[in-house]
């Protein structure tokens, strides 16, 4: 961040756009001196990021005990191909969140958080599916991380070569990259499936 300050962004809109574009984060925390970085899903509502998982999860257990956490979200938007090796880069958008997560214990708040989590990944899904039973809710840990100490960093645009290198006979530019949804594959064990829901047609983020 210090080396390339022009890429540092802190405005809420940029942070929320980056968080809402994705649903996979990496959760960094340390337990007895051993750092872990674990990939997991998330959902956002307002100034809260929700994480969820099995009540047996070591990650969620550690975080619910108040271990400080660092969550990162990254989108790779392209390969930036310069004329020199030195100026090659990547177009990206990323967010880093620091803080301490809160265990969501109230069943009503937990259910609400799971709805937010599900809707964040696939909008429209929650209304279609069977909701968690009391027992399933107990077996699920939900954590809320406040979006208070947050930074965003964005790199976009073409390569920035040294003046003398522009004359070199080397292809330079950007190879844009994105994650795309392919055709939905129906479950082979389906018995009573309705037609493909609207929210699965042309899914994109
Ligand atoms: C895209 C994605 C989304 C996921 N979403 C969720 C989610 O929403 N909720 C959830 O609970 N889990 C999710 N997982 C699984 C998650 O990464 C952990 O494996 C899981 O939460 C168990 O964590 P734990 O701390 O209990 O690991 P443990 O069972 O304690 O793991 C033991 C050891 O195995 C290794 N390990 C753990 N997880 C991984 C991994 N993913 N890859 C490689 N090594 C690993 C680590 O060294 C760890 O210390 C997701 C994984 C991926 C890749």
């Amino acid at each position: 961040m210090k080396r390339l300050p022009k890429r540092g962004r802190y405005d809420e809109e940029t942070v929320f756009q980056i968080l809402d574009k994705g649903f996979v984060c990496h959760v960094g925390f340390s337990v007895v001196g051993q750092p872990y970085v674990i990939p997991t899903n998330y959902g956002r509502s307002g100034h809260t990021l929700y994480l969820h998982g099995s009540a047996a999860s070591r990650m969620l257990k550690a975080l619910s005990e108040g271990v400080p956490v660092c969550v990162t979200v990254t989108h790779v938007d392209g390969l930036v191909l310069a004329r020199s090796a030195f100026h090659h880069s990547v177009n990206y958008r990323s967010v880093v969140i620091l803080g301490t997560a809160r265990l969501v214990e109230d069943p009503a708040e937990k259910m609400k958080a799971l709805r937010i989590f599900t809707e964040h990944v696939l909008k429209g899904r929650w209304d279609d599916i069977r909701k968690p039973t009391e027992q399933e809710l107990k077996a699920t840990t939900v954590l809320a991380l406040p979006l208070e100490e947050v930074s965003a960093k964005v790199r976009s645009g073409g390569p920035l070569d040294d003046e003398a290198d522009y004359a070199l006979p080397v292809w330079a530019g950007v190879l844009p990259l994105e994650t795309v949804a392919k055709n939905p594959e129906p479950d082979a064990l389906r018995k009573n499936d309705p037609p493909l829901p609207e929210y699965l047609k042309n899914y994109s983020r």
Side-chain angles (χ1 to χ4, degrees), residues 17-79:
Q17 272 175 8
I18 295 170
L19 293 178
D20 294 349
K21 178 89 180 162
F23 54 81
V24 177
C25 61
H26 286 81
V27 178
F29 58 98
S30 180
V31 178
V32 227
Q34 171 62 59
Y36 294 89
V37 178
I38 301 289
T40 198
N41 289 136
Y42 67 88
R44 178 189 77 87
S45 175
H47 290 81
T48 303
L49 198 86
Y50 289 104
L51 305 175
H52 96 308
S54 153
S57 162
R58 188 164 32 171
M59 168 181 77
L60 296 175
K61 197 164 169 292
L63 298 192
S64 62
E65 285 165 1
V67 168
V69 65
C70 174
V71 173
T72 67
V73 173
T74 311
H75 307 300
V76 177
D77 294 325
L79 303 182

Short mmCIF file of all heavy atoms in Angstrom, two decimals, residues 17-79:
data_model
loop_
_atom_site.label_atom_id
_atom_site.label_comp_id
_atom_site.label_asym_id
_atom_site.label_seq_id
_atom_site.Cartn_x
_atom_site.Cartn_y
_atom_site.Cartn_z
N GLN A 17 -18.64 -2.39 -3.70
CA GLN A 17 -18.70 -2.96 -5.06
C GLN A 17 -17.81 -4.19 -5.18
O GLN A 17 -18.18 -5.19 -5.77
CB GLN A 17 -18.26 -1.92 -6.09
CG GLN A 17 -19.40 -1.04 -6.57
CD GLN A 17 -18.89 0.06 -7.51
OE1 GLN A 17 -17.73 0.08 -7.89
NE2 GLN A 17 -19.77 0.98 -7.84
N ILE A 18 -16.62 -4.09 -4.60
CA ILE A 18 -15.68 -5.22 -4.67
C ILE A 18 -16.23 -6.40 -3.87
O ILE A 18 -16.21 -7.55 -4.33
CB ILE A 18 -14.28 -4.79 -4.17
CG1 ILE A 18 -13.69 -3.74 -5.12
CG2 ILE A 18 -13.35 -5.99 -4.05
CD1 ILE A 18 -12.43 -3.05 -4.61
N LEU A 19 -16.75 -6.11 -2.67
CA LEU A 19 -17.29 -7.20 -1.84
C LEU A 19 -18.50 -7.84 -2.50
O LEU A 19 -18.68 -9.06 -2.43
CB LEU A 19 -17.66 -6.67 -0.45
CG LEU A 19 -16.48 -6.22 0.42
CD1 LEU A 19 -16.99 -5.69 1.76
CD2 LEU A 19 -15.50 -7.38 0.66
N ASP A 20 -19.33 -7.05 -3.15
CA ASP A 20 -20.57 -7.60 -3.72
C ASP A 20 -20.35 -8.33 -5.04
O ASP A 20 -21.18 -9.12 -5.46
CB ASP A 20 -21.61 -6.48 -3.91
CG ASP A 20 -22.05 -5.92 -2.56
OD1 ASP A 20 -21.72 -6.54 -1.53
OD2 ASP A 20 -22.72 -4.87 -2.54
N LYS A 21 -19.22 -8.06 -5.65
CA LYS A 21 -18.89 -8.74 -6.91
C LYS A 21 -18.53 -10.21 -6.65
O LYS A 21 -18.70 -11.07 -7.51
CB LYS A 21 -17.71 -8.01 -7.56
CG LYS A 21 -17.21 -8.61 -8.83
CD LYS A 21 -17.94 -8.05 -10.01
CE LYS A 21 -17.42 -8.67 -11.31
NZ LYS A 21 -18.34 -8.49 -12.42
N GLY A 22 -18.01 -10.48 -5.47
CA GLY A 22 -17.56 -11.85 -5.18
C GLY A 22 -18.31 -12.49 -4.03
O GLY A 22 -19.24 -11.90 -3.47
N PHE A 23 -17.93 -13.72 -3.74
CA PHE A 23 -18.48 -14.39 -2.55
C PHE A 23 -17.48 -15.34 -1.92
O PHE A 23 -17.82 -16.13 -1.06
CB PHE A 23 -19.80 -15.10 -2.88
CG PHE A 23 -19.71 -16.08 -4.03
CD1 PHE A 23 -19.21 -17.35 -3.84
CD2 PHE A 23 -20.14 -15.70 -5.30
CE1 PHE A 23 -19.13 -18.25 -4.89
CE2 PHE A 23 -20.06 -16.60 -6.37
CZ PHE A 23 -19.55 -17.88 -6.16
N VAL A 24 -16.22 -15.28 -2.38
CA VAL A 24 -15.16 -16.09 -1.76
C VAL A 24 -14.12 -15.14 -1.18
O VAL A 24 -13.67 -14.21 -1.86
CB VAL A 24 -14.48 -17.02 -2.79
CG1 VAL A 24 -13.33 -17.80 -2.14
CG2 VAL A 24 -15.49 -17.98 -3.40
N CYS A 25 -13.78 -15.40 0.07
CA CYS A 25 -12.74 -14.59 0.71
C CYS A 25 -11.68 -15.53 1.29
O CYS A 25 -11.86 -16.74 1.32
CB CYS A 25 -13.34 -13.73 1.82
SG CYS A 25 -14.11 -14.67 3.16
N HIS A 26 -10.59 -14.95 1.73
CA HIS A 26 -9.57 -15.71 2.46
C HIS A 26 -9.46 -15.13 3.85
O HIS A 26 -9.31 -13.91 4.01
CB HIS A 26 -8.23 -15.68 1.71
CG HIS A 26 -8.24 -16.55 0.49
ND1 HIS A 26 -8.79 -16.15 -0.70
CD2 HIS A 26 -7.82 -17.82 0.31
CE1 HIS A 26 -8.70 -17.15 -1.58
NE2 HIS A 26 -8.12 -18.17 -0.99
N VAL A 27 -9.59 -16.00 4.83
CA VAL A 27 -9.65 -15.58 6.23
C VAL A 27 -8.32 -15.91 6.90
O VAL A 27 -7.95 -17.08 7.01
CB VAL A 27 -10.82 -16.31 6.94
CG1 VAL A 27 -10.87 -15.92 8.41
CG2 VAL A 27 -12.13 -16.00 6.25
N GLY A 28 -7.61 -14.88 7.34
CA GLY A 28 -6.32 -15.07 7.99
C GLY A 28 -6.45 -14.87 9.49
O GLY A 28 -7.06 -13.91 9.94
N PHE A 29 -5.88 -15.81 10.24
CA PHE A 29 -5.90 -15.69 11.70
C PHE A 29 -4.77 -16.55 12.24
O PHE A 29 -4.19 -17.37 11.51
CB PHE A 29 -7.25 -16.16 12.28
CG PHE A 29 -7.60 -17.58 11.90
CD1 PHE A 29 -7.36 -18.64 12.78
CD2 PHE A 29 -8.14 -17.87 10.66
CE1 PHE A 29 -7.66 -19.95 12.42
CE2 PHE A 29 -8.43 -19.18 10.29
CZ PHE A 29 -8.19 -20.22 11.17
N SER A 30 -4.45 -16.35 13.50
CA SER A 30 -3.34 -17.09 14.07
C SER A 30 -3.80 -17.82 15.32
O SER A 30 -4.52 -17.27 16.15
CB SER A 30 -2.23 -16.08 14.42
OG SER A 30 -1.14 -16.75 14.98
N VAL A 31 -3.42 -19.10 15.41
CA VAL A 31 -3.76 -19.89 16.61
C VAL A 31 -2.46 -20.46 17.17
O VAL A 31 -1.75 -21.18 16.47
CB VAL A 31 -4.74 -21.04 16.27
CG1 VAL A 31 -5.04 -21.88 17.51
CG2 VAL A 31 -6.03 -20.50 15.67
N VAL A 32 -2.18 -20.13 18.40
CA VAL A 32 -0.93 -20.50 19.08
C VAL A 32 0.29 -20.31 18.17
O VAL A 32 1.09 -21.23 17.98
CB VAL A 32 -0.95 -21.96 19.65
CG1 VAL A 32 -0.44 -21.96 21.08
CG2 VAL A 32 -2.27 -22.65 19.59
N GLY A 33 0.38 -19.12 17.63
CA GLY A 33 1.56 -18.75 16.83
C GLY A 33 1.57 -19.29 15.42
O GLY A 33 2.48 -18.98 14.64
N GLN A 34 0.57 -20.09 15.05
CA GLN A 34 0.53 -20.63 13.69
C GLN A 34 -0.49 -19.84 12.86
O GLN A 34 -1.69 -19.91 13.13
CB GLN A 34 0.13 -22.11 13.72
CG GLN A 34 -0.14 -22.71 12.34
CD GLN A 34 1.07 -22.70 11.42
OE1 GLN A 34 2.10 -23.27 11.73
NE2 GLN A 34 0.96 -22.00 10.29
N PRO A 35 -0.03 -19.10 11.86
CA PRO A 35 -1.01 -18.40 10.99
C PRO A 35 -1.70 -19.37 10.04
O PRO A 35 -1.07 -20.32 9.54
CB PRO A 35 -0.14 -17.42 10.19
CG PRO A 35 1.22 -17.48 10.78
CD PRO A 35 1.35 -18.80 11.48
N TYR A 36 -2.99 -19.13 9.81
CA TYR A 36 -3.77 -19.88 8.81
C TYR A 36 -4.40 -18.88 7.87
O TYR A 36 -4.77 -17.77 8.29
CB TYR A 36 -4.91 -20.68 9.48
CG TYR A 36 -4.44 -21.78 10.39
CD1 TYR A 36 -4.20 -21.52 11.74
CD2 TYR A 36 -4.25 -23.07 9.92
CE1 TYR A 36 -3.76 -22.52 12.59
CE2 TYR A 36 -3.81 -24.08 10.76
CZ TYR A 36 -3.57 -23.79 12.10
OH TYR A 36 -3.13 -24.79 12.93
N VAL A 37 -4.56 -19.27 6.61
CA VAL A 37 -5.34 -18.47 5.66
C VAL A 37 -6.29 -19.45 4.99
O VAL A 37 -5.87 -20.32 4.23
CB VAL A 37 -4.44 -17.78 4.61
CG1 VAL A 37 -5.29 -17.01 3.62
CG2 VAL A 37 -3.45 -16.84 5.30
N ILE A 38 -7.57 -19.35 5.32
CA ILE A 38 -8.55 -20.35 4.90
C ILE A 38 -9.56 -19.73 3.92
O ILE A 38 -10.14 -18.69 4.22
CB ILE A 38 -9.30 -20.91 6.15
CG1 ILE A 38 -8.32 -21.54 7.15
CG2 ILE A 38 -10.38 -21.90 5.75
CD1 ILE A 38 -7.70 -22.86 6.71
N PRO A 39 -9.77 -20.38 2.77
CA PRO A 39 -10.78 -19.86 1.84
C PRO A 39 -12.17 -20.19 2.33
O PRO A 39 -12.41 -21.30 2.82
CB PRO A 39 -10.47 -20.63 0.54
CG PRO A 39 -9.83 -21.91 0.98
CD PRO A 39 -9.12 -21.61 2.28
N THR A 40 -13.06 -19.26 2.19
CA THR A 40 -14.44 -19.52 2.60
C THR A 40 -15.40 -18.56 1.90
O THR A 40 -14.97 -17.59 1.27
CB THR A 40 -14.57 -19.43 4.15
OG1 THR A 40 -15.75 -20.07 4.55
CG2 THR A 40 -14.57 -18.00 4.64
N ASN A 41 -16.69 -18.84 1.99
CA ASN A 41 -17.69 -17.95 1.39
C ASN A 41 -18.10 -16.86 2.38
O ASN A 41 -17.91 -17.01 3.58
CB ASN A 41 -18.95 -18.74 1.00
CG ASN A 41 -18.71 -19.64 -0.20
OD1 ASN A 41 -19.13 -20.79 -0.21
ND2 ASN A 41 -18.04 -19.14 -1.20
N TYR A 42 -18.67 -15.80 1.84
CA TYR A 42 -19.16 -14.73 2.71
C TYR A 42 -20.40 -14.11 2.10
O TYR A 42 -20.70 -14.31 0.91
CB TYR A 42 -18.09 -13.65 2.93
CG TYR A 42 -17.77 -12.87 1.67
CD1 TYR A 42 -18.49 -11.72 1.31
CD2 TYR A 42 -16.76 -13.29 0.81
CE1 TYR A 42 -18.21 -11.02 0.14
CE2 TYR A 42 -16.47 -12.59 -0.36
CZ TYR A 42 -17.20 -11.47 -0.69
OH TYR A 42 -16.92 -10.78 -1.85
N GLY A 43 -21.10 -13.34 2.90
CA GLY A 43 -22.20 -12.50 2.42
C GLY A 43 -22.08 -11.15 3.10
O GLY A 43 -21.52 -11.05 4.20
N ARG A 44 -22.55 -10.11 2.42
CA ARG A 44 -22.49 -8.77 3.04
C ARG A 44 -23.88 -8.17 3.16
O ARG A 44 -24.71 -8.31 2.26
CB ARG A 44 -21.65 -7.82 2.19
CG ARG A 44 -21.60 -6.40 2.79
CD ARG A 44 -20.95 -5.41 1.84
NE ARG A 44 -21.80 -4.97 0.75
CZ ARG A 44 -22.66 -3.93 0.82
NH1 ARG A 44 -22.79 -3.25 1.94
NH2 ARG A 44 -23.39 -3.61 -0.22
N SER A 45 -24.11 -7.52 4.28
CA SER A 45 -25.29 -6.68 4.41
C SER A 45 -24.88 -5.41 5.14
O SER A 45 -24.36 -5.49 6.26
CB SER A 45 -26.38 -7.41 5.19
OG SER A 45 -27.46 -6.55 5.42
N GLY A 46 -25.07 -4.27 4.52
CA GLY A 46 -24.67 -3.01 5.15
C GLY A 46 -23.20 -3.06 5.52
O GLY A 46 -22.35 -3.41 4.71
N HIS A 47 -22.92 -2.77 6.79
CA HIS A 47 -21.53 -2.71 7.24
C HIS A 47 -21.13 -4.00 7.95
O HIS A 47 -20.30 -3.98 8.86
CB HIS A 47 -21.33 -1.49 8.15
CG HIS A 47 -21.40 -0.20 7.39
ND1 HIS A 47 -22.61 0.38 7.06
CD2 HIS A 47 -20.44 0.59 6.86
CE1 HIS A 47 -22.37 1.48 6.37
NE2 HIS A 47 -21.07 1.63 6.24
N THR A 48 -21.74 -5.12 7.56
CA THR A 48 -21.40 -6.40 8.19
C THR A 48 -21.10 -7.45 7.13
O THR A 48 -21.81 -7.57 6.13
CB THR A 48 -22.59 -6.89 9.05
OG1 THR A 48 -22.91 -5.88 10.01
CG2 THR A 48 -22.24 -8.17 9.79
N LEU A 49 -20.03 -8.20 7.37
CA LEU A 49 -19.70 -9.35 6.52
C LEU A 49 -20.03 -10.60 7.33
O LEU A 49 -19.62 -10.72 8.49
CB LEU A 49 -18.20 -9.32 6.19
CG LEU A 49 -17.80 -10.19 5.01
CD1 LEU A 49 -17.98 -9.39 3.71
CD2 LEU A 49 -16.35 -10.64 5.12
N TYR A 50 -20.79 -11.51 6.72
CA TYR A 50 -21.16 -12.74 7.43
C TYR A 50 -20.35 -13.92 6.91
O TYR A 50 -20.17 -14.08 5.69
CB TYR A 50 -22.66 -13.04 7.25
CG TYR A 50 -23.55 -12.09 7.99
CD1 TYR A 50 -24.24 -11.08 7.31
CD2 TYR A 50 -23.70 -12.18 9.37
CE1 TYR A 50 -25.06 -10.19 7.99
CE2 TYR A 50 -24.52 -11.30 10.06
CZ TYR A 50 -25.19 -10.31 9.37
OH TYR A 50 -26.00 -9.44 10.05
N LEU A 51 -19.88 -14.74 7.85
CA LEU A 51 -19.21 -16.01 7.53
C LEU A 51 -20.04 -17.11 8.17
O LEU A 51 -20.69 -16.88 9.20
CB LEU A 51 -17.80 -16.04 8.12
CG LEU A 51 -16.86 -14.89 7.75
CD1 LEU A 51 -15.55 -15.03 8.52
CD2 LEU A 51 -16.60 -14.87 6.25
N HIS A 52 -20.01 -18.30 7.59
CA HIS A 52 -20.76 -19.39 8.22
C HIS A 52 -20.05 -20.72 7.98
O HIS A 52 -19.17 -20.82 7.11
CB HIS A 52 -22.19 -19.45 7.67
CG HIS A 52 -22.35 -20.44 6.56
ND1 HIS A 52 -21.54 -20.46 5.46
CD2 HIS A 52 -23.21 -21.46 6.41
CE1 HIS A 52 -21.90 -21.45 4.66
NE2 HIS A 52 -22.91 -22.07 5.21
N GLY A 53 -20.41 -21.71 8.77
CA GLY A 53 -19.84 -23.04 8.55
C GLY A 53 -20.24 -23.98 9.66
O GLY A 53 -21.09 -23.66 10.50
N SER A 54 -19.61 -25.15 9.63
CA SER A 54 -19.91 -26.17 10.64
C SER A 54 -19.52 -25.67 12.02
O SER A 54 -18.49 -25.00 12.18
CB SER A 54 -19.13 -27.44 10.30
OG SER A 54 -18.90 -28.18 11.46
N ALA A 55 -20.32 -26.05 13.03
CA ALA A 55 -19.99 -25.65 14.40
C ALA A 55 -18.67 -26.28 14.82
O ALA A 55 -18.04 -25.83 15.78
CB ALA A 55 -21.13 -26.07 15.33
N ALA A 56 -18.22 -27.32 14.11
CA ALA A 56 -16.96 -27.99 14.45
C ALA A 56 -15.75 -27.31 13.81
O ALA A 56 -14.61 -27.68 14.08
CB ALA A 56 -17.03 -29.45 14.00
N SER A 57 -15.97 -26.33 12.97
CA SER A 57 -14.87 -25.70 12.23
C SER A 57 -13.88 -25.01 13.17
O SER A 57 -14.26 -24.19 14.01
CB SER A 57 -15.44 -24.67 11.24
OG SER A 57 -14.41 -23.78 10.85
N ARG A 58 -12.63 -25.37 12.99
CA ARG A 58 -11.59 -24.77 13.83
C ARG A 58 -11.49 -23.27 13.57
O ARG A 58 -11.31 -22.46 14.47
CB ARG A 58 -10.25 -25.45 13.53
CG ARG A 58 -9.20 -25.01 14.50
CD ARG A 58 -7.98 -25.84 14.55
NE ARG A 58 -7.57 -26.46 13.31
CZ ARG A 58 -6.40 -27.08 13.20
NH1 ARG A 58 -5.60 -27.12 14.23
NH2 ARG A 58 -6.04 -27.66 12.07
N MET A 59 -11.60 -22.93 12.29
CA MET A 59 -11.53 -21.51 11.92
C MET A 59 -12.62 -20.71 12.63
O MET A 59 -12.35 -19.69 13.27
CB MET A 59 -11.70 -21.38 10.40
CG MET A 59 -11.93 -19.97 9.92
SD MET A 59 -12.15 -19.87 8.14
CE MET A 59 -13.83 -20.46 7.93
N LEU A 60 -13.87 -21.19 12.52
CA LEU A 60 -14.98 -20.43 13.10
C LEU A 60 -14.92 -20.41 14.62
O LEU A 60 -15.30 -19.44 15.26
CB LEU A 60 -16.31 -21.00 12.59
CG LEU A 60 -16.49 -20.86 11.07
CD1 LEU A 60 -17.75 -21.55 10.60
CD2 LEU A 60 -16.52 -19.40 10.64
N LYS A 61 -14.42 -21.52 15.20
CA LYS A 61 -14.30 -21.59 16.66
C LYS A 61 -13.28 -20.55 17.14
O LYS A 61 -13.54 -19.79 18.07
CB LYS A 61 -13.82 -23.01 17.06
CG LYS A 61 -14.05 -23.34 18.50
CD LYS A 61 -13.92 -24.84 18.71
CE LYS A 61 -13.88 -25.18 20.17
NZ LYS A 61 -12.66 -24.72 20.85
N ALA A 62 -12.14 -20.51 16.44
CA ALA A 62 -11.10 -19.54 16.82
C ALA A 62 -11.63 -18.11 16.70
O ALA A 62 -11.47 -17.29 17.60
CB ALA A 62 -9.87 -19.73 15.94
N LEU A 63 -12.30 -17.83 15.59
CA LEU A 63 -12.79 -16.46 15.36
C LEU A 63 -13.86 -16.09 16.37
O LEU A 63 -13.94 -14.95 16.83
CB LEU A 63 -13.34 -16.30 13.95
CG LEU A 63 -12.35 -16.53 12.80
CD1 LEU A 63 -12.96 -16.05 11.50
CD2 LEU A 63 -11.03 -15.82 13.04
N SER A 64 -14.71 -17.07 16.74
CA SER A 64 -15.79 -16.74 17.68
C SER A 64 -15.24 -16.51 19.08
O SER A 64 -15.91 -15.95 19.94
CB SER A 64 -16.87 -17.83 17.67
OG SER A 64 -16.31 -19.04 18.09
N GLU A 65 -14.00 -16.94 19.31
CA GLU A 65 -13.37 -16.69 20.61
C GLU A 65 -12.66 -15.34 20.64
O GLU A 65 -11.98 -15.00 21.61
CB GLU A 65 -12.37 -17.82 20.93
CG GLU A 65 -13.08 -19.11 21.34
CD GLU A 65 -12.16 -20.33 21.32
OE1 GLU A 65 -10.97 -20.18 20.99
OE2 GLU A 65 -12.68 -21.43 21.65
N GLY A 66 -12.78 -14.58 19.56
CA GLY A 66 -12.25 -13.22 19.56
C GLY A 66 -10.85 -13.08 19.00
O GLY A 66 -10.21 -12.04 19.18
N VAL A 67 -10.35 -14.13 18.31
CA VAL A 67 -9.03 -14.03 17.69
C VAL A 67 -9.10 -12.96 16.58
O VAL A 67 -10.04 -12.99 15.77
CB VAL A 67 -8.64 -15.41 17.08
CG1 VAL A 67 -7.43 -15.29 16.18
CG2 VAL A 67 -8.39 -16.42 18.19
N PRO A 68 -8.15 -12.02 16.54
CA PRO A 68 -8.18 -11.00 15.49
C PRO A 68 -8.10 -11.65 14.10
O PRO A 68 -7.40 -12.65 13.92
CB PRO A 68 -6.92 -10.16 15.74
CG PRO A 68 -6.54 -10.46 17.14
CD PRO A 68 -7.02 -11.84 17.45
N VAL A 69 -8.83 -11.07 13.15
CA VAL A 69 -8.93 -11.69 11.83
C VAL A 69 -8.61 -10.69 10.74
O VAL A 69 -8.81 -9.47 10.91
CB VAL A 69 -10.35 -12.30 11.65
CG1 VAL A 69 -11.42 -11.22 11.65
CG2 VAL A 69 -10.45 -13.13 10.38
N CYS A 70 -8.08 -11.20 9.64
CA CYS A 70 -7.86 -10.41 8.43
C CYS A 70 -8.54 -11.15 7.29
O CYS A 70 -8.21 -12.30 7.02
CB CYS A 70 -6.36 -10.26 8.17
SG CYS A 70 -6.02 -9.44 6.60
N VAL A 71 -9.50 -10.51 6.65
CA VAL A 71 -10.24 -11.12 5.54
C VAL A 71 -9.88 -10.39 4.25
O VAL A 71 -9.90 -9.15 4.22
CB VAL A 71 -11.77 -11.03 5.78
CG1 VAL A 71 -12.54 -11.51 4.56
CG2 VAL A 71 -12.16 -11.87 7.00
N THR A 72 -9.54 -11.14 3.22
CA THR A 72 -9.26 -10.50 1.94
C THR A 72 -10.17 -11.05 0.84
O THR A 72 -10.54 -12.22 0.87
CB THR A 72 -7.79 -10.70 1.47
OG1 THR A 72 -7.60 -12.08 1.17
CG2 THR A 72 -6.80 -10.28 2.52
N VAL A 73 -10.53 -10.17 -0.08
CA VAL A 73 -11.32 -10.54 -1.26
C VAL A 73 -10.56 -10.00 -2.47
O VAL A 73 -10.14 -8.84 -2.47
CB VAL A 73 -12.73 -9.91 -1.19
CG1 VAL A 73 -13.49 -10.15 -2.50
CG2 VAL A 73 -13.51 -10.48 -0.02
N THR A 74 -10.38 -10.84 -3.49
CA THR A 74 -9.59 -10.44 -4.66
C THR A 74 -10.32 -10.79 -5.95
O THR A 74 -10.86 -11.89 -6.08
CB THR A 74 -8.24 -11.21 -4.68
OG1 THR A 74 -7.64 -11.10 -3.41
CG2 THR A 74 -7.31 -10.66 -5.75
N HIS A 75 -10.35 -9.87 -6.88
CA HIS A 75 -10.83 -10.16 -8.24
C HIS A 75 -9.69 -9.85 -9.20
O HIS A 75 -9.12 -8.76 -9.15
CB HIS A 75 -12.02 -9.28 -8.62
CG HIS A 75 -13.12 -9.34 -7.63
ND1 HIS A 75 -13.78 -10.51 -7.31
CD2 HIS A 75 -13.68 -8.38 -6.85
CE1 HIS A 75 -14.69 -10.26 -6.40
NE2 HIS A 75 -14.65 -8.98 -6.10
N VAL A 76 -9.38 -10.81 -10.06
CA VAL A 76 -8.36 -10.59 -11.08
C VAL A 76 -9.07 -10.18 -12.37
O VAL A 76 -9.91 -10.93 -12.88
CB VAL A 76 -7.52 -11.86 -11.31
CG1 VAL A 76 -6.51 -11.63 -12.43
CG2 VAL A 76 -6.80 -12.26 -10.03
N ASP A 77 -8.77 -9.00 -12.87
CA ASP A 77 -9.48 -8.47 -14.04
C ASP A 77 -8.69 -8.60 -15.33
O ASP A 77 -9.26 -8.43 -16.41
CB ASP A 77 -9.82 -7.00 -13.81
CG ASP A 77 -10.83 -6.82 -12.68
OD1 ASP A 77 -11.70 -7.70 -12.54
OD2 ASP A 77 -10.73 -5.84 -11.94
N GLY A 78 -7.41 -8.85 -15.24
CA GLY A 78 -6.65 -8.99 -16.47
C GLY A 78 -5.15 -9.09 -16.26
O GLY A 78 -4.64 -8.75 -15.19
N LEU A 79 -4.49 -9.57 -17.31
CA LEU A 79 -3.03 -9.60 -17.32
C LEU A 79 -2.56 -8.34 -18.04
O LEU A 79 -3.02 -8.05 -19.14
CB LEU A 79 -2.51 -10.83 -18.07
CG LEU A 79 -2.97 -12.19 -17.58
CD1 LEU A 79 -2.30 -13.30 -18.41
CD2 LEU A 79 -2.64 -12.38 -16.11
#
